[in-house]
Amino acid sequence: MLVARSHRAIVAALLGSSMMMPAFAFAQEPAEDVNDEIIVTAQKREENLQSVPISIQALSTKKLDQLGISDFNEYTKQLASVSFQTIQPGSTTVYMRGVASGGDGNHSGSLPSVGVYLDEQPVTTIGGTLDVHVYDVARIESLAGPQGTLYGASSQAGTIRIISNKPDLTKFEGRVDAEVNAIAHGGVGGTLEGMINTPLSDSAALRVVGWYQHDAGFIDNVAASRTFLGPAITNDEGTVLTGNEPGISVNNNAYVRNNINRRDVYGGRAALKIELDDSWTVTPSVLAQKSKNQGAFGYDPSVGDLKIERFANEYRKDRFIQAALTIEGKIGNWDLTYAGAYLDRKTKSYNDYTDYSEAYDAIYANYTDSDTNEFICSGLAGCFYYQNAEGETIDPRQFILGTDHFRKTSQELRIASPSDSRLRVQGGLFYQRQSNRIFQDYQVADLAPLLSVNDRPGTLWLTLQKRVDRDYAAFGEASFDIDPTLTLTAGGRYYRYDNSLVGFFGFGRNPDYVQGADDNPAPNAAGSSRTGVGGCFTTGGLTLRQAQLDGASTTLAPAIVPGTFCTNLGTPMNGTVVPKSTKDNGFIHRLTLTWKPNDDVMTYATWSRGFRPGGINRRASIPAYAADFLTNFEFGWKLSPMRGLRINGAIYMQDWKKFQYAFLGENSFTQIQNGRNARIRGLELDVNYNAGNGFSLSGSAAYTDAKLRGNLCSGASDLTANCADSDVSAASGTRLPITPKFKGSATARYEYDMGSGKAHAQASVAHQGSASADIRTSYATAWGRIKPTTTFDFSYGYEWSNLSAELFLDNAFDQRGELSRNVNCGQCTRINIVPTQPRTIGLRIGSKF
């Protein structure tokens, strides 16, 4: 995207002024060592970044502070290989290197393809990446490409690691930081953060961190109304004419307000480090965070810039707690590490689903028989049974009350040989169990009890299920120095997974409704006799619907998930129902040859493979989906050609076999099937330069070319097969969605002495190209492309003694960047665009002690 001439002038003026300011400064302090090592633990050992044969981008504590990074959106803007889909903070699905088919992130959908770790413990979750507040963090490591040999199933395409600062036994220290900001077209927000590290004895120290963040809104909910179709217009003889009588009209006057997308986050982290002796250390820690999002975080371009029409006060609450324990020690001269954690996450949301009602009211307008073209009914009021207990037509709008209760337990034990040996090995065992209680209540106000889900008056549709995913693994890796410059590394992971799903989904069933009988009442508001209670299993193993048709016993099997009336998702067995499950095992590998002729040059070639487990669809009639696999061929380099300069990069080619493809199917119900193959080619570059005189420059970029291999079929039970042109959902060669061809960022910074302190000026630019919002051609066309965007951030600050202050201007030219495009249902036509935050000006102040 081109920047206007005036914009270029502002950039040049700021950078120019920052370079001239030293003329007014006092004597320059000695420059820092520009060749300071960056230590990472990507291979589960402490190593110099320039010696690790993996494509890594690392954001250090200093870099995170300089860029003012505090959350997921801010740090992923700096990670060139990372892209994501989002509806709002906390409801985000992460992708790396273009490994994206779109539609992921549902609570009973595919497992993520990118692993997320907090220190040694995985915090990867189904249905949205944890948006952990970033403060007092040692570094964030982005590991691109399959990392499954060391990090497991959900690191198919890469891994993001958040490494916190650990308790320090040598000193007492602390810091307090605050921020206030104002958003163009929006409100005022701010942040308050603090940290204390205190030694408790010669062998123990405690580090405690806390934060509160208020994000101001900038989306306006504007006045709107909806009118649903009434009865079809007929003449005196009853012949249907064109058009409909006016139906029920509603408005959102009670919910009209500005800046509805507000967010509040507060939480804390505590870690206790205990040195048992010179060789053994125990570090228990706990992290807790609670957030509340209010309103919609997207806007409807057909309504106006940063404007939307909503008919309810929407919200999402997200609370998670993680308790972790890390034990590190030595057995002889071998390192032994245990890492265990328990994560408990609860979310609760309330969403307006008016768009669904509006779309289906239009779809059923003057609905006719497909064979005879004879008129059948018109609109939701005429084609369905949206009625109260008195039989009167009611407002058909739906509102979704949803909760998820996610739990994860992980255990890892590994041992590693000395890192200075010619042959270095490490190996370990891993176990993980994660579960999710899924609850989605689609409510229609005043819906008759006999037309609702049984025992839930006012509920049109209910999803209440329990999902359990278990992973078991044994892994190992060995590195052998063939000679002082050449190293061969081979790693492997044997895995086994066992995933299950059980519960209820669908509509209710009027107890007086008997399948096949004459003069039946409506089975439910949707008139469906199959989906829901009609599909629940009886003690005889038949569905209730089939049992009535066969004249068999209609005694329902016991409900398996508490809160359900019966069970229709599972496998009937001996008078009850057991969870549907899928399980498999296999082996993945990584083979790397590294050449390091000197400390300034390293190249490597890697052949690796990653995987993602299969799973169960929540619609019982759809079969399980299988694991998908990513094979990676990569050549990379890490160069330090001159003092202060690092140039790291990689080129790669990836084959993605029978990728898991999630989409909204019948009744806007998410289903997952294995699709065709895809191939991905790309280039990554990470450059850092420190001149040693206060000036530094850093940048990263990624080029990604991800395309289908073979036609992706629509409406087929086997999406991996060939199909006729009329059934092609996406043709061979179609680019995979979400990931732009190009993404990059760059930061220039100048620091200089001024008086008794040090001043700095900084300018950053971030750009990402356009991308398709969906892999299916027709949907991608209807939704429009995610537009390219370029944003500029500026800051100027001063540090003296233990105090600091900084003025900043983010998205200086108020670019309306797009993070995601989506719709509320499969047939909905109103587009929601989740934008980047508008121009934001603010002040940060801090104190260290």
Side-chain angles (χ1 to χ4, degrees), residues 548-566:
Q548 288 181 341
L549 288 173
D550 294 351
S553 171
T554 58
T555 302
L556 292 171
I560 303 302
V561 178
T564 57
F565 181 73
C566 54

Side-chain angles (χ1 to χ4, degrees), residues 430-448:
F430 177 81
Y431 167 73
Q432 176 177 273
R433 182 186 188 274
Q434 46 190 338
S435 66
N436 192 16
R437 183 185 183 272
I438 304 160
F439 174 77
Q440 295 279 292
D441 185 347
Y442 292 71
Q443 301 175 345
V444 175
D446 206 25
L447 185 64

Side-chain angles (χ1 to χ4, degrees), residues 531-581:
T531 304
V533 174
C536 281
F537 294 107
T538 65
T539 54
L542 299 174
T543 65
L544 175 60
R545 180 180 188 276
Q546 191 62 48
Q548 288 181 341
L549 288 173
D550 294 351
S553 171
T554 58
T555 302
L556 292 171
I560 303 302
V561 178
T564 57
F565 181 73
C566 54
T567 303
N568 61 359
L569 176 58
T571 302
M573 184 178 294
N574 300 326
T576 187
V577 183
V578 298
K580 290 186 70 173
S581 66

Side-chain angles (χ1 to χ4, degrees), residues 199-230:
L200 302 177
S201 68
D202 292 340
S203 59
L206 176 68
R207 195 177 192 98
V208 179
V209 184
W211 57 83
Y212 170 74
Q213 178 175 332
H214 171 69
D215 294 336
F218 50 86
I219 303 292
D220 296 340
N221 192 29
V222 299
S225 63
R226 300 285 186 270
T227 298
F228 297 95
L229 296 174

Side-chain angles (χ1 to χ4, degrees), residues 394-718:
I394 59 174
D395 176 2
R397 290 177 301 150
Q398 300 175 37
F399 300 90
I400 308 171
L401 177 64
T403 64
D404 284 278
H405 190 179
F406 178 87
R407 296 184 176 99
K408 177 196 285 276
T409 300
S410 63
Q411 314 275 348
E412 180 175 296
L413 180 67
R414 65 178 187 271
I415 191 167
S417 67
S419 58
D420 56 358
S421 300
R422 184 180 183 187
L423 174 64
R424 300 172 296 281
V425 298
Q426 65 173 315
L429 301 172
F430 177 81
Y431 167 73
Q432 176 177 273
R433 182 186 188 274
Q434 46 190 338
S435 66
N436 192 16
R437 183 185 183 272
I438 304 160
F439 174 77
Q440 295 279 292
D441 185 347
Y442 292 71
Q443 301 175 345
V444 175
D446 206 25
L447 185 64
L450 293 179
L451 298 173
S452 305
V453 172
N454 301 59
D455 296 338
R456 290 183 176 270
T459 295
L460 173 69
W461 174 288
L462 177 70
T463 297
L464 183 47
Q465 300 167 353
K466 182 176 182 181
R467 173 174 179 165
V468 178
D469 297 275
R470 299 179 181 88
D471 297 279
Y472 312 82
F475 62 91
E477 187 172 88
S479 297
F480 178 70
D481 295 333
I482 300 171
D483 65 28
T485 65
L486 198 63
T487 300
L488 179 65
T489 300
R493 188 182 191 95
Y494 172 80
Y495 65 85
R496 181 166 69 89
Y497 66 82
D498 184 354
N499 300 338
S500 64
L501 189 63
V502 67
F504 176 84
F505 68 97
F507 305 106
R509 191 177 181 90
N510 188 326
D512 295 329
Y513 183 88
V514 179
Q515 198 71 42
D518 296 329
D519 299 323
N520 261 324
N524 45 59
S528 173
S529 64
R530 296 176 181 271
T531 304
V533 174
C536 281
F537 294 107
T538 65
T539 54
L542 299 174
T543 65
L544 175 60
R545 180 180 188 276
Q546 191 62 48
Q548 288 181 341
L549 288 173
D550 294 351
S553 171
T554 58
T555 302
L556 292 171
I560 303 302
V561 178
T564 57
F565 181 73
C566 54
T567 303
N568 61 359
L569 176 58
T571 302
M573 184 178 294
N574 300 326
T576 187
V577 183
V578 298
K580 290 186 70 173
S581 66
T582 182
K583 58 185 69 177
D584 201 359
N585 60 75
F587 181 82
I588 56 174
H589 67 271
R590 181 164 79 98
L591 187 65
T592 300
L593 185 63
T594 305
W595 181 56
K596 191 173 176 63
N598 55 58
D599 290 341
D600 298 329
V601 176
M602 190 267 278
T603 63
Y604 67 90
T606 293
W607 171 39
S608 57
R609 199 173 192 224
F611 87 105
R612 180 169 49 164
I616 301 297
N617 273 290
R618 57 181 180 142
R619 185 184 287 277
S621 59
I622 302 173
Y625 52 95
D628 58 3
F629 296 87
L630 183 72
T631 301
N632 174 61
F633 302 92
E634 178 176 332
F635 174 77
W637 60 91
K638 300 196 174 180
L639 310 175
S640 303
M642 57 181 284
R643 181 176 174 81
L645 177 63
R646 285 193 297 267
I647 304 174
N648 298 344
I651 55 176
Y652 60 87
M653 183 177 73
Q654 299 183 142
D655 288 323
W656 193 12
K657 297 293 180 71
K658 296 185 178 180
F659 59 79
Q660 294 171 13
Y661 168 52
F663 58 96
L664 292 175
E666 184 182 353
N667 300 121
S668 292
F669 209 76
T670 299
Q671 64 185 69
I672 305 101
Q673 295 174 237
N674 292 90
R676 301 303 297 266
N677 300 336
R679 70 109 180 102
I680 306 168
R681 297 170 183 161
L683 167 69
E684 296 160 339
L685 192 64
D686 185 25
V687 178
N688 290 269
Y689 175 63
N690 190 329
N693 60 358
F695 177 75
S696 62
L697 182 67
S698 62
S700 64
Y703 171 81
T704 308
D705 182 23
K707 293 182 177 179
L708 277 176
R709 279 184 169 171
N711 295 337
L712 184 66
C713 302
S714 60
S717 59
D718 182 7

